[in-house]
Amino acid sequence: MGHPTNRSLTLLAAVLCACGTAENPTAPSTPAESIPELKFTLVVAGDDHSCGLTSDSRALCWGGNEVGQLGVGARSVSQPEPVAVVGALTFTALSAGAFHTCGVTDSQQVYCWGFNVTGQIGDATFQHRFAPTLVAGDITFVSVSAGGGHSCAVTAAGDVYCWGARGDGGATNDSTTASTVPVKVDGTIDFASVAAGGDHRCGWTPSGEGYCWGAGSDGRLGDGSTTGSNVPVSVAGALAFHTVGAGDGHSCGVTTDGLSYCWGLNTNGQLGNGSAASTSVPSPVMAGYGWQSLEAGGQHTCGLTEDSVTMCWGLNQFGQLGDGVDGDRLVPNPVGGDQQFVSVSTGRFHTCALTASGDAYCWGFNQRGQLGDGSTTDRNLPVLVGARGTISNGG
């Protein structure tokens, strides 16, 4: 998951009060739909919102919606419980960015919605979109990742396309500011997947090579420097990755032998190496565990061990580590509660996870209702999404 640049945040603040106009419609209040059981196959955390896919491939979102990031068809107040994304689309994947959301349909088309001041929706405009909008270019994709002010997606052939803010070092291969349509990332690298961060992005190849590009400050590209690059650069260390993630100012990856590494900004211990010193090369996460996956968030990181224990570390200002107590963690610490999760997604200041039975839980910052439990109270332990058994029908 990625996060907004300072420019994006300034512009976002300017539009939050522009509600109820023709350009910024306000969604009417709609009755909630009672559901006997809300089960998910995927849950993802963004900045102030979260989204999930139901067992019938419907997209639901909850949290902030001032710029349309919930996809209910219009601007609305925050929604502290799941709301249905409008339209008849069914999705195979979703990704929640800073203030926008993207999804891949079963026909491999990518749709995005929400904040679009830097072209992150990819529809050749800078207009905010309150409902799913087809990304331009007639390109089919197998995966998508929504970042801060940009988005990236991968084709079946392994080509990466990005659109939106360039950032330091570039989101695209030749734009000096931003691109409102997908632009193929320079180079001849075939990628298995890509993750969009705040203003950088990382990916890995089918054979395990890790690459990052974009802003290089604090060493988040992992190539031993703090210089940005508008083309992918190799992550140092000759490591073979099966997943790489990009957060706000740091990146993490899991190798094919189950070891975990992080690099970049480390002011709150988000690298998990026992210190608060940033590094420009991969640093081993301090834990006696093998790992399935890691997710780099705003200034915290979470992952699943090979024994299916969910661990988090880094900033814990709002309870986003989920261990029931306050204070940052410099090394991995187990999430509290008695749930066992099969996937975890880190947002800016909150975290969400999914159980094998399809129950979604979230914890951390909840001012916009991004935990989905019907409240706006911060939680330092996991709470069930949709606990009241209702969803809204949207705008």
Side-chain angles (χ1 to χ4, degrees):
M1 176 272 152
H3 307 292
T5 62
N6 289 335
R7 177 173 178 268
S8 295
L9 285 172
T10 299
L11 290 169
L12 174 64
V15 301
L16 289 184
C17 62
C19 301
T21 66
E23 293 80 11
N24 300 290
T26 301
S29 176
T30 55
E33 169 191 352
S34 295
I35 51 175
E37 192 173 46
L38 182 59
K39 296 296 182 181
F40 292 93
T41 59
L42 175 72
V43 63
V44 291
D47 191 308
D48 70 346
H49 75 295
S50 308
C51 297
L53 286 181
T54 63
S55 55
D56 59 356
S57 300
R58 289 187 300 163
L60 304 179
C61 295
W62 53 95
N65 192 43
E66 289 83 356
V67 286
Q69 58 265 51
L70 301 189
V72 300
R75 180 192 304 280
S76 72
V77 297
S78 300
Q79 302 290 336
E81 292 180 305
V83 293
V85 173
V86 297
L89 297 170
T90 54
F91 294 93
T92 60
L94 286 179
S95 180
F99 300 106
H100 74 293
T101 309
C102 294
V104 182
T105 68
D106 46 16
S107 60
Q108 297 189 336
Q109 293 177 306
V110 169
Y111 286 76
C112 297
W113 55 94
F115 199 43
N116 196 29
V117 72
T118 54
Q120 57 264 57
I121 302 303
D123 67 339
T125 78
F126 290 108
Q127 296 178 359
H128 306 324
R129 299 299 184 183
F130 303 98
T133 302
L134 181 65
V135 170
D138 195 28
I139 307 166
T140 56
F141 296 103
V142 295
S143 65
V144 66
S145 181
H150 65 284
S151 309
C152 294
V154 184
T155 70
D159 295 325
V160 170
Y161 288 78
C162 295
W163 55 95
R166 173 183 169 87
D168 292 341
T172 60
N173 68 338
D174 60 356
S175 172
T176 58
T177 53
S179 175
T180 61
V181 298
V183 177
K184 187 176 182 296
V185 172
D186 198 14
T188 58
I189 304 165
D190 291 334
F191 283 91
S193 193
V194 66
D199 52 11
H200 76 292
R201 49 250 24 116
C202 294
W204 67 99
T205 70
S207 56
E209 292 91 356
Y211 293 88
C212 297
W213 65 101
S217 53
D218 303 302
R220 67 194 70 183
L221 301 188
D223 65 341
S225 79
T226 55
T227 302
S229 175
N230 62 359
V231 296
V233 294
S234 296
V235 175
L239 300 168
F241 293 101
H242 76 73
T243 183
V244 178
D248 197 354
H250 72 295
S251 311
C252 294
V254 178
T255 64
T256 53
D257 57 1
L259 300 178
S260 58
Y261 294 83
C262 293
W263 55 93
L265 186 67
N266 195 32
T267 52
N268 299 98
Q270 56 263 53
L271 302 190
N273 60 10
S275 80
S278 301
T279 177
S280 61
V281 296
S283 174
V285 173
M286 288 182 61
Y289 304 96
W291 294 88
Q292 299 180 47
S293 63
L294 290 185
E295 286 284 329
Q299 292 168 270
H300 73 293
T301 307
C302 294
L304 293 177
T305 72
E306 290 178 342
D307 295 328
S308 298
V309 177
T310 305
M311 313 279 278
C312 294
W313 56 96
L315 182 67
N316 197 30
Q317 182 180 3
F318 303 103
Q320 59 262 55
L321 302 190
D323 59 4
V325 296
D326 298 327
D328 298 352
R329 302 283 181 263
L330 302 183
V331 296
N333 202 55
V335 170
D338 56 4
Q339 301 85 15
Q340 187 174 68
F341 299 113
V342 296
S343 67
V344 62
S345 178
T346 50
R348 187 169 180 82
F349 296 124
H350 75 291
T351 308
C352 294
L354 186 70
T355 69
S357 62
D359 292 322
Y361 288 80
C362 296
W363 56 93
F365 194 49
N366 197 30
Q367 182 179 350
R368 312 305 294 163
Q370 55 263 59
L371 303 190
D373 69 336
S375 80
T376 54
T377 302
D378 296 348
R379 309 288 188 180
N380 60 15
L381 287 170
V383 291
L384 182 65
V385 173
R388 295 198 298 183
T390 61
I391 63 171
S392 166
N393 290 316

